[in-house]
Amino acid sequence: MSQPTTPTPSDKPATIKIQVDGREVEADPKQPLIRACHDSGVDVPMYCYHPGLTPVGSCRICQVEVAAAPGQPSRVVAACRTPVSPGMVVQTDTPKAHETRRECLEFLLKNHPLDCPICDKAGECDLQDYSFNEGQGKGRSSEPRRKLEKRKSLGDVIVLDEERCILCSRCVRFFQDVTHKPQLTVSGLGSRSTISTFGDKPLTGNYQGNLADICPVGALTLKPFRFQARVWNLSKSLSTCAECSRGCSITVEALRGKEVKRFRPRFNAQVNQYWMCDTGRFAYAPVTQPLAPAGSALGGRLAGAAVRGYGGLELVEVEPALAEAADILAAHPKPLVLLSPFATQEEARAALELCATLGVAARFVSPAPSALKDDLLNTGDPCPNRRGLTELGLAPVEPAQARVELAQARAALLIGERIQELLEPAELAKLPAELRLVVFDVCAHDLPALDVAVGAPTHVEKSGQWLNIDGHVGVLNVAVPPPAGVGPLERTLRELRAALAPSAATR
Amino acid sequence: MVIVQRKELTFAERLYLPEIFRGLSITFSKFFEKPITRQYPEEPLPTDEVTRGQPRLVVKDDGNIACVSCGMCEIACPAYAITIDGGETDRQIEREPKRFEIDMLRCILCGFCEEACPKDAIFMSNELELADTTRRGLVYDLEKLKRPKSALQPRIDYVYRINKRWRSKQP
Amino acid sequence: MDVPQPLIWIAKIVVIFGGLVGTAALMSLAERKVSAWMQYRIGPNRVGPFGLLQPLADGIKFIFKEELIPAGANKFMFRLAPALSAAPAMLTMAVIPIGGTAVIAGREIPLSIADVDIGVLFLLAFSGLSIYGVILGGWASNSKYSLLGGLRASAQMISYELTLILTILAVVALEGTLNLRAISENQASIGQWNIWTQPLAFVLFTITMFAETNRHPFDFAECEPELVGGFHTEYSAMRFALYFLGEYCAMTVLSCLNATLFLGGPSVPFWPEAPWFIGVAAFCLKAGFFLFLFLWVRWSLPRMRFDQLMRLGWKVFLPLALANLLVTGAFISFGAH
């Protein structure tokens, strides 16, 4: 289950003292009792409650035994709808509380199908976990389970399995509370209640994917992830979304540590709370089939390095490629150096050291804002490390302007993931062949100007830091190993500098 | 310290020759007894439903594979021999394996997959022989693993019989 | 048609040597078959009917095996030794009469390659040579196992050769001739077989036969448990096979000698006028019994210890054989005449 931690704002709100399972606990009076329990490390189950949504108390699984003060008579209440009051005594582990929860669970399981082997949620399903802990092995009901639609499409992203739905209404409240554009409702009566859109229209908006995250059971699933992997086979690593300068905290989940299958938002109070947009969520495709559009040379990912031979680009080891790059830079002083906005702080510092050796200034390519900007998370700025690069003293340069300067330069260095994509390979192909071009990127396009290309890792294959638009640090970790022959870009840049320094000294 | 008292030998025993003839007569009498050798490839080993041979996947009577690629056997396998990639199917059961591989070189025939399976989809067959000229050839894929349910029925009945505590009745 | 004498000689050589080597090959199969039958097994049965072609398959395999010569080995001696072991064992067969006189197309042909007057002496001299094969092989291998195995084998063979000679001497003294054909012809009827006049010599000879050929329970030349393979540890391929060929040939020759000396050679009991080929069959049967005895004993009895072997040879067999010779001599000198 998702155990949220309280955000720690600088101005601490006034707290009151309550007793949870025999311990004195400080509680925020603005938050419901269940938050106080979770913050004190006591596990209280929850389905309909979500820390990012308004509590409604519809599932009743969070019931605990509460007394107004020690010695007072106690009663069982839903922790998500009970405000905290000073001196209140909460007991979560009493037979009465367990019994009440078990009865609730039995009603929830009455109609919930036993298809955990098929369900994508299995392994990270709250209902499964609590049934395992608190439920009983066998159902007592002899009535058949209700039959509803198993595959109801709710737009391009989400599929609804009505049988699995426990009507917690988290999804309904998500559109009310977070996007403020209600799109879902509970329709029908009694056991025929289902989740449906208004007028059965498909869902819209850039935040539908969050529904699959907040659904406590496997009723709402992501179409692209459907049946792709069992969640226990996914290795999870902390990372940061690369699609805009917001830099949402995410978890990169890779099947058996090799193939990225899912990006999920990770709670970050300062940046993205519990959410992320679909643009970032489904951005793993270019990372897994990494940036190998038609026209990129040498079969997609550049494993190792490539140099221009007599017959075109040839795969070589990194070391000779760097030696050739050093020769080019020695013969053509003052090259044009452009960084990708995807470059981490570490890569940018290594690039700046290189620029100091070359005696030039570096700039980073800054494409125009996209139309994806909204008032929730997406900033529309496709430069995830704009703030960080700016703070390091790099100036932005428009792609069109960069291409003009490239056409006039004698030699140029393009450094960082996706830089060829940002400068558009078709336009780069028009550059004169006299230009000596050295590229550090995840792939190599067969540009006439290209002399040396050295492979670089994608942002799920490297560790480093980005600064988001508000100055918060976003970490990157190695989620999947880079292809053989591709090392960290900062190391490659330092090796180039080492190869360059002696020749620069002799000149 | 233990002092071993050697047996006092009679004259006939000390003469050695009679004892030799006694020994020779014993071996000679064995000469005419029936050999117990099994001529293996021609006379295969007897197997029955208790034999825990290589795991095989059940193909139901309607021709569909019983496996829903839930991954229980994959995670139960102590030898990491099983690899499953699931995918969507149009059948009522929404999920089916797109890739199901058992590395028979890794498989230790422990039967955990059979115990773990919630769908009665994988059973230990009575197939024991395993030979190939390449390692890749011994990584069995779906086509090599599929067996009609009738072929595995004795084992299925046996598993239900010994596990009647939690496997109540066959579907 | 008058066949020239040399052709007859060549035919006899081919038949008798071929028979000897064939017997040795078959023995390698029989060894495995007999042991299998005694242990409720089947034995080799994949090559040819009942596995009869197994020796052929083994031979082909031996030829194609890689031949290894250890570093530091005396190459010339190393290569020579197996031949020295096999050749004398085969040569001794020349003086053994496998039958009386064959009559083919009216021509009388004595059924032995060489009918020499000093047959017994020739046989003893050449079988004594085979010890060189063992000790040279053991020494030339430059290996501690081989050296110890070779030394043990030579000590054993020299010790038991004395008993062997003394028991043969008793028979020779009784018969008054060294010619093996004469010895076998003197035992034409079953009552004249030397086994009745020399029972002790027969028993001693039979047991000594095992020690002389390094066979179980006296197989100290090979002694797998403590010396890996004894004198042939370092041998491989056809040279290894040659040692075994020599061993089986020696077994065959000594079995034939035993049949000739004590069981009347080709004489058929209660049928003195039996045709020559029946005589040959009888001879083969008698020799075959001893060959079977070799296998039978090997797969029944435990090995002896080396000190037990030497004690038996020097303290039991040698005095017994000497006493037997003395009694025989006394009997001849002061007896029935």
Side-chain angles (χ1 to χ4, degrees):
Chain A
M1 64 171 261
S2 50
Q3 267 269 16
T5 51
T6 327
T8 48
S10 50
D11 53 333
K12 230 181 162 195
T15 56
I16 56 174
K17 283 193 162 50
I18 64 166
Q19 202 184 359
V20 177
D21 282 352
R23 283 189 298 138
E24 279 280 299
V25 167
E26 301 219 325
D28 180 356
K30 296 196 200 80
Q31 296 287 353
L33 173 56
I34 191 168
R35 277 298 275 277
C37 294
H38 284 165
D39 292 352
S40 61
V42 176
D43 186 16
V44 177
M46 56 178 192
Y47 297 141
C48 70
Y49 177 74
H50 187 281
L53 304 172
T54 324
V56 291
S58 70
C59 72
R60 318 302 292 179
I61 197 70
C62 61
Q63 296 184 96
V64 293
E65 215 175 327
V66 168
Q72 294 280 323
S74 64
R75 62 197 185 101
V76 174
V77 297
C80 70
R81 288 285 278 171
T82 307
V84 288
S85 60
M88 137 192 272
V89 178
V90 185
Q91 282 176 294
T92 64
D93 206 18
T94 62
K96 209 165 144 193
H98 277 296
E99 179 62 24
T100 335
R101 276 184 235 147
R102 190 157 56 240
E103 282 164 3
C104 288
L105 197 59
E106 197 171 355
F107 274 117
L108 290 174
L109 292 173
K110 162 69 189 71
N111 277 320
H112 191 83
L114 254 179
D115 59 358
C116 296
I118 299 157
C119 181
D120 271 332
K121 200 77 174 181
E124 55 183 14
C125 173
D126 291 351
L127 189 64
Q128 198 181 36
D129 291 350
Y130 299 143
S131 306
F132 205 82
N133 289 340
E134 310 231 357
Q136 48 204 28
K138 279 191 171 158
R140 290 185 288 169
S141 167
S142 56
E143 299 293 319
R145 291 186 165 88
R146 63 181 175 177
K147 290 273 173 241
L148 292 168
E149 201 175 335
K150 290 286 280 181
R151 269 179 270 198
K152 185 172 170 186
S153 176
L154 298 182
D156 297 336
V157 174
I158 295 291
V159 181
L160 168 65
D161 186 328
E162 293 181 339
E163 289 184 4
R164 288 184 197 148
C165 179
I166 58 168
L167 297 170
C168 70
S169 78
R170 272 187 186 183
C171 47
V172 176
R173 281 173 287 145
F174 172 77
F175 283 120
Q176 287 168 358
D177 298 350
V178 181
T179 66
H180 304 297
K181 287 173 195 138
Q183 297 191 49
L184 286 171
T185 186
V186 181
S187 66
L189 288 173
S191 69
R192 278 179 295 281
S193 307
T194 55
I195 299 290
S196 54
T197 53
F198 297 128
D200 281 334
K201 279 183 284 199
L203 294 175
T204 55
N206 204 13
Y207 290 87
Q208 304 169 33
N210 294 303
L211 297 186
D213 293 337
I214 60 172
C215 184
V217 294
L220 297 167
T221 47
L222 292 174
K223 277 183 182 172
F225 183 66
R226 209 165 145 80
F227 308 133
Q228 289 300 301
R230 303 306 278 174
V231 295
W232 52 83
N233 285 336
L234 297 171
S235 63
K236 301 171 173 65
S237 25
L238 311 184
S239 191
T240 301
C241 179
E243 294 311 300
C244 77
S245 56
R246 177 72 64 192
C248 297
S249 295
I250 60 165
T251 310
V252 177
E253 303 190 354
L255 181 58
R256 300 183 189 102
K258 292 197 183 81
E259 191 184 345
V260 178
K261 282 291 184 186
R262 191 158 73 164
F263 285 172
R264 301 184 86 196
R266 179 158 55 86
F267 176 71
N268 188 333
Q270 282 89 23
V271 180
N272 59 325
Q273 293 291 321
Y274 302 91
W275 323 114
M276 75 186 291
C277 68
D278 291 353
T279 312
R281 181 185 296 272
F282 298 120
Y284 58 82
V287 197
T288 45
Q289 293 102 27
L291 307 171
S296 73
L298 304 166
R301 274 309 285 273
L302 183 54
V307 295
R308 166 124 1 240
Y310 293 111
L313 286 182
E314 291 166 1
L315 267 184
V316 292
E317 298 283 312
V318 173
E319 206 172 321
L322 288 176
E324 180 154 352
D327 287 348
I328 291 172
L329 294 174
H332 299 85
K334 307 282 178 194
L336 183 66
V337 180
L338 293 173
L339 253 70
S340 158
F342 289 85
T344 62
Q345 296 294 86
E346 289 79 0
E347 290 166 359
R349 284 199 191 95
L352 286 176
E353 287 169 17
L354 182 65
C355 286
T357 309
L358 294 168
V360 295
R363 281 171 296 168
F364 72 95
V365 178
S366 163
S370 69
L372 291 165
K373 179 177 164 56
D374 57 38
D375 50 3
L376 195 55
L377 291 176
N378 201 320
T379 61
D381 175 10
C383 308
N385 197 22
R386 172 184 295 280
R387 173 94 177 233
L389 297 174
T390 313
E391 285 186 7
L392 283 176
L394 280 79
V397 57
E398 294 276 321
Q401 174 65 24
R403 284 194 295 268
V404 169
E405 291 182 23
L406 276 173
Q408 292 159 358
R410 293 176 62 209
L413 267 172
L414 302 182
I415 300 168
E417 175 190 352
R418 301 197 215 177
I419 188 155
Q420 292 169 99
E421 302 306 308
L422 295 172
L423 293 171
E424 290 171 39
E427 296 290 325
L428 289 178
K430 295 175 190 161
L431 292 174
E434 293 76 44
L435 172 66
R436 310 303 302 271
L437 191 59
V438 179
V439 169
F440 296 83
D441 199 352
V442 293
C443 65
H445 287 272
D446 199 0
L447 313 171
L450 183 63
D451 291 294
V452 180
V454 182
T458 64
H459 67 276
V460 297
E461 293 165 354
K462 64 189 174 193
S463 55
Q465 289 185 349
W466 283 337
L467 293 190
N468 86 338
I469 192 137
D470 300 321
H472 294 294
V473 172
V475 295
L476 295 174
N477 283 306
V478 180
V480 290
V486 174
L489 183 53
E490 58 264 34
R491 198 175 74 196
T492 318
L493 291 175
R494 294 222 168 84
E495 281 166 10
L496 175 59
R497 182 163 168 257
L500 199 57
S503 61
T506 51
R507 193 172 65 238
Chain B
M1 193 169 72
V2 179
I3 298 171
V4 179
Q5 290 292 326
R6 293 207 179 270
K7 185 175 168 267
E8 197 69 27
L9 298 177
T10 63
F11 178 73
E13 283 167 341
R14 278 155 57 89
L15 209 58
Y16 203 64
L17 277 180
E19 293 299 306
I20 285 180
F21 285 123
R22 223 153 66 87
L24 288 178
S25 69
I26 288 173
T27 45
F28 195 73
S29 67
K30 306 298 171 200
F31 221 80
F32 304 101
E33 293 194 12
K34 194 175 171 327
I36 56 168
T37 310
R38 179 181 296 280
Q39 298 281 315
Y40 167 61
E42 292 89 4
E43 297 172 47
L45 293 165
T47 62
D48 58 16
E49 71 271 18
V50 185
T51 309
R52 217 169 53 205
Q54 296 161 10
R56 291 288 183 264
L57 295 176
V58 172
V59 175
K60 295 186 292 184
D61 296 336
D62 59 7
N64 289 321
I65 194 159
C67 175
V68 297
S69 71
C70 71
M72 286 293 132
C73 50
E74 187 182 14
I75 207 78
C77 182
Y80 304 109
I82 306 180
T83 313
I84 309 171
D85 283 345
E88 190 158 7
T89 164
D90 291 334
R91 282 152 54 205
Q92 173 64 27
I93 201 99
E94 296 159 279
R95 190 187 182 106
E96 73 175 9
K98 294 292 178 214
R99 178 169 82 123
F100 194 117
E101 288 181 349
I102 303 184
D103 188 343
M104 286 301 169
L105 294 170
R106 289 191 151 207
C107 178
I108 55 170
L109 312 181
C110 66
F112 281 14
C113 47
E114 177 187 74
E115 270 190 55
C117 184
K119 287 285 174 188
D120 285 353
I122 189 165
F123 282 97
M124 309 305 278
S125 67
N126 58 4
E127 294 166 38
L128 291 160
E129 284 159 3
L130 186 69
D132 203 273
T133 47
T134 59
R135 279 170 181 273
R136 184 65 220 174
L138 290 169
V139 178
Y140 281 19
D141 60 6
L142 262 178
E143 288 316 306
K144 280 186 180 170
L145 289 169
K146 278 179 176 174
R147 291 288 179 277
K149 191 178 180 204
S150 53
L152 296 166
Q153 195 59 49
R155 177 71 185 180
I156 299 175
D157 295 340
Y158 169 77
V159 167
Y160 270 92
R161 202 164 69 239
I162 58 162
N163 295 337
K164 57 177 172 288
R165 261 182 64 230
W166 65 89
R167 288 204 196 220
S168 45
K169 60 181 196 303
Q170 286 188 40
Chain C
M1 193 186 73
D2 200 19
V3 183
Q5 190 62 27
L7 270 190
I8 292 175
W9 289 341
I10 288 169
K12 280 201 293 194
I13 289 169
V14 166
V15 167
I16 291 179
F17 275 173
L20 177 69
V21 176
T23 309
L26 274 181
M27 280 300 285
S28 72
L29 173 68
E31 182 108 74
R32 281 172 272 179
K33 275 284 187 191
V34 167
S35 68
W37 288 332
M38 282 179 179
Q39 296 163 355
Y40 305 148
R41 292 187 289 113
I42 294 175
N45 65 344
R46 295 279 150 174
V47 192
F50 310 105
L52 276 175
L53 296 181
Q54 187 69 42
L56 194 71
D58 288 345
I60 292 169
K61 188 182 135 180
F62 272 127
I63 288 168
F64 287 106
K65 279 274 180 181
E66 185 187 1
E67 188 141 10
L68 296 173
I69 297 181
N74 184 327
K75 293 209 174 69
F76 176 70
M77 290 299 180
F78 188 82
R79 291 187 177 123
L80 181 70
L84 270 186
S85 171
M90 294 187 193
L91 277 180
T92 45
M93 194 63 193
V95 293
I96 297 206
I98 61 163
T101 305
V103 182
I104 300 170
R107 229 185 131 122
E108 292 193 350
I109 304 167
L111 285 175
S112 60
I113 296 174
D115 187 6
V116 288
D117 282 341
I118 54 157
V120 172
L121 207 56
F122 175 88
L123 194 143
L124 290 174
F126 270 90
S127 72
L129 270 180
S130 66
I131 198 168
Y132 282 106
V134 171
I135 194 165
L136 274 181
W139 174 78
S141 294
N142 190 30
S143 151
K144 51 185 180 289
Y145 300 122
S146 302
L147 184 61
L148 286 174
L151 283 177
R152 276 186 178 193
S154 51
Q156 172 186 341
M157 287 163 87
I158 289 169
S159 309
Y160 278 80
E161 198 132 7
L162 288 175
T163 313
L164 193 79
I165 291 169
L166 287 175
T167 48
I168 295 177
L169 219 54
V171 176
V172 168
L174 209 61
E175 299 288 350
T177 173
L178 285 170
N179 187 325
L180 281 167
R181 168 166 298 280
I183 291 175
S184 80
E185 275 167 0
N186 284 348
Q187 312 172 62
S189 76
I190 187 167
Q192 294 166 314
W193 287 9
N194 283 333
I195 188 173
W196 311 127
T197 50
Q198 290 287 344
L200 184 63
F202 172 69
V203 169
L204 291 180
F205 185 90
T206 307
I207 295 173
T208 313
M209 208 161 71
F210 287 87
E212 199 50 28
T213 51
N214 291 323
R215 285 289 295 189
H216 209 90
F218 309 117
D219 60 340
F220 292 99
E222 295 166 32
C223 36
E224 273 116 3
E226 67 265 32
L227 290 183
V228 188
F231 62 94
H232 63 55
T233 302
E234 305 293 346
Y235 278 91
S236 55
M238 209 54 211
R239 290 192 215 286
F240 175 79
L242 216 53
Y243 267 124
F244 269 82
L245 193 67
E247 179 178 323
Y248 284 120
C249 285
M251 279 160 63
T252 314
V253 168
L254 281 178
S255 296
C256 293
L257 185 63
N258 200 340
T260 309
L261 288 179
F262 295 101
L263 295 185
S267 89
V268 187
F270 313 116
W271 191 11
E273 297 85 24
W276 64 273
F277 48 88
I278 299 286
V280 171
F283 180 83
C284 289
L285 217 59
K286 289 167 190 172
F289 167 74
F290 289 112
L291 283 174
F292 175 68
L293 193 67
F294 272 112
L295 307 181
W296 189 6
V297 166
R298 171 165 183 192
W299 297 103
S300 303
L301 300 183
R303 281 179 65 201
M304 298 183 85
R305 224 165 47 213
F306 195 65
D307 64 310
Q308 290 171 335
L309 170 91
M310 293 315 254
R311 197 185 63 199
L312 190 71
W314 289 103
K315 290 190 180 171
V316 182
F317 282 8
L318 189 61
L320 277 179
L322 269 176
N324 185 51
L325 186 61
L326 278 177
V327 170
T328 309
F331 182 77
I332 294 169
S333 303
F334 314 111
H337 303 289

